[in-house]
Amino acid sequence: MSLLSDLINLNLSNSTEKVIAEYIWIGGSGMDLRSKARTLPGPVTDPKKLPKWNYDGSSTGQAPGEDSEVIIYPQAIFKDPFRRGNNILVMCDAYTPGGEPIPTNKRFNAAKIFSHPDVAAEVPWYGIEQEYTLLQKEVKWPVGWPVGGFPGPQGPYYCGIGADKAFGRDIVDAHYKACLYAGINISGINGEVMPGQWEFQVGPSVGISAGDELWVARYILERITEIAGVVVSFDPKPIQGDWNGAGAHTNYSTKSMRNEGGFEIIKKAIEKLGLKHKEHIAAYGEGNERRLTGRHETADINTFLWGVANRGASIRVGRDTEKEGKGYFEDRRPASNMDPYVVTSMIAETTLLWKP
């Protein structure tokens, strides 16, 4: 008798040309990923060659029941680490039947900004540091913590090893390899300051692809935690008190910043970001005020300041960038639950298109 795992791992390419495409989209809350699968007659590598599809928007909080059809447009293809073979994951965005982007489709506006000639010419690079917390499923309390209680204070957990310091490493490593398999430009992982909290980094990725890759990396993480019976939280402050929050620090550079004399361009870009601080904070994630308190390696939410190697600043410039006179900077303000389409395009728009 076949084991369930044998059937899940069947290699379809031995018996059929058909492949399974898992269409992924963002639901009504702006953070809830949804997906469903369809059969294609053969392998596809170009999203433009994939059919559009639809879903019931009344069940995702994105359309009324009497006119519930939402159309999804395939935008990016990744290899499927769960089904493997020629099967694919497809990142989509959502439109009305008339072709208008629905309000929760943040990709549409981001793509317009990244296709602007002045932005495209600067080849914006992003590296996003996605922090998250693993929670015990039944009690929604971090893995490795005593139920209803607390572990020892922060200190030994950051990049820590050992059964009393690192909780959930099997999930983290599975996610790392699955992202590499999928073709996501995941550049690293590490244990974070709060026990049960981890981080992965996506990038450097150019323009709109940074958002596509981060969303699919989040999707893969949610699928792996589903298998493991653990809940992943992107809440920016999952545990109140003397514990670090969770952010999505966004590293950014343009061609001009990466070339000789780039440090002067960086300083001008940071000045622009300071002038639009309130607008950025408003778009950088829900509940960020609980995280940006001026403590736990953050700047206060109402204060904009930048510095070299300063983890308590809104914008941090690395020592290497200062030394070489060119490079990148890190926007430390985005919360872990930010929308990467919004944050990446907003940084590009403010620094490259906005005229103060």
Side-chain angles (χ1 to χ4, degrees):
M1 183 176 172
S2 294
L3 293 171
L4 192 58
S5 59
D6 293 336
L7 296 172
I8 290 170
N9 293 317
L10 273 176
N11 186 349
L12 295 179
S13 57
N14 291 337
S15 58
T16 180
E17 282 287 304
K18 293 179 179 179
V19 300
I20 302 169
E22 189 78 27
Y23 279 45
I24 303 164
W25 69 94
I26 299 157
S29 76
M31 269 304 287
D32 56 322
L33 284 161
R34 311 282 180 135
S35 75
K36 60 177 181 172
R38 68 184 295 161
T39 306
L40 303 174
V44 180
T45 55
D46 180 356
K48 292 186 180 66
K49 294 183 178 173
L50 286 168
K52 293 172 185 173
W53 206 6
N54 63 75
Y55 66 88
D56 170 16
S58 69
S59 295
T60 62
Q62 292 168 298
E66 65 275 10
D67 187 13
S68 66
E69 195 166 281
V70 179
I71 314 300
I72 39 179
Y73 293 20
Q75 299 290 1
I77 291 175
F78 299 86
K79 291 171 67 179
D80 186 339
F82 303 102
R83 297 188 176 107
R84 287 169 276 185
N86 290 321
N87 303 302
I88 55 175
L89 303 176
V90 183
M91 190 64 207
C92 305
D93 61 351
Y95 297 80
T96 67
E100 293 295 316
I102 65 171
T104 51
N105 180 353
K106 306 303 183 186
R107 190 188 191 279
F108 180 80
N109 188 56
K112 281 206 299 190
I113 291 167
F114 285 121
S115 62
H116 190 289
D118 294 349
V119 176
E122 282 289 346
V123 195
W125 288 4
Y126 296 91
I128 303 173
E129 305 171 31
Q130 175 70 71
E131 295 177 342
Y132 60 94
T133 309
L134 296 174
L135 304 178
Q136 301 168 53
K137 182 181 168 188
E138 305 303 332
V139 292
K140 300 296 196 308
W141 198 240
V143 296
W145 290 39
V147 175
F150 296 87
Q154 294 181 158
Y157 310 108
Y158 172 69
C159 297
I161 58 168
D164 57 345
K165 301 179 197 72
F167 312 116
R169 191 186 296 276
D170 52 348
I171 291 168
V172 174
D173 270 350
H175 177 250
Y176 195 177
K177 286 190 171 181
C179 284
L180 285 170
Y181 178 94
I184 292 165
N185 193 21
I186 186 169
S187 45
I189 57 165
N190 60 269
E192 266 306 327
V193 177
M194 189 181 87
Q197 198 174 77
W198 294 82
E199 173 184 299
F200 66 89
Q201 302 95 33
V202 166
S205 302
V206 178
I208 197 73
S209 64
D212 289 337
E213 291 184 33
L214 190 73
W215 273 116
V216 175
R218 284 174 171 176
Y219 173 84
I220 291 171
L221 180 58
E222 292 233 37
R223 285 283 305 275
I224 289 170
T225 53
E226 173 192 319
I227 294 164
V230 168
V231 173
V232 60
S233 169
F234 295 106
D235 189 286
K237 187 73 174 180
I239 305 294
Q240 294 306 303
D242 197 17
W243 304 98
N244 271 36
H249 302 156
T250 302
N251 299 275
Y252 170 69
S253 71
T254 63
K255 193 198 292 187
S256 299
M257 294 174 191
R258 297 188 290 270
N259 289 338
E260 292 305 317
F263 197 19
E264 289 307 309
I265 307 291
I266 286 171
K267 286 193 273 192
K268 286 175 186 168
I270 293 172
E271 187 180 342
K272 282 184 169 186
L273 289 170
L275 294 171
K276 283 214 159 192
H277 178 63
K278 281 188 178 176
E279 291 95 321
H280 280 255
I281 287 293
Y284 272 19
E286 293 292 322
N288 213 7
E289 71 284 350
R290 292 184 280 115
R291 168 180 161 261
L292 296 180
T293 60
R295 300 180 64 217
H296 305 110
E297 302 183 70
T298 72
D300 179 80
I301 195 166
N302 297 311
T303 304
F304 182 88
L305 61 104
W306 74 277
V308 176
N310 181 2
R311 292 183 184 278
S314 315
I315 305 286
R316 181 184 70 87
V317 174
R319 290 275 180 217
D320 285 349
T321 296
E322 181 189 45
K323 183 179 173 185
E324 294 175 20
K326 60 184 178 181
Y328 70 96
F329 64 83
E330 174 192 35
D331 191 338
R332 295 180 61 80
R333 297 171 296 171
S336 49
N337 60 1
M338 63 81 155
D339 186 326
Y341 294 136
V342 173
V343 169
T344 57
S345 61
M346 200 172 191
I347 292 171
E349 185 175 38
T350 297
T351 59
L352 295 173
L353 301 179
W354 182 57
K355 310 291 187 204

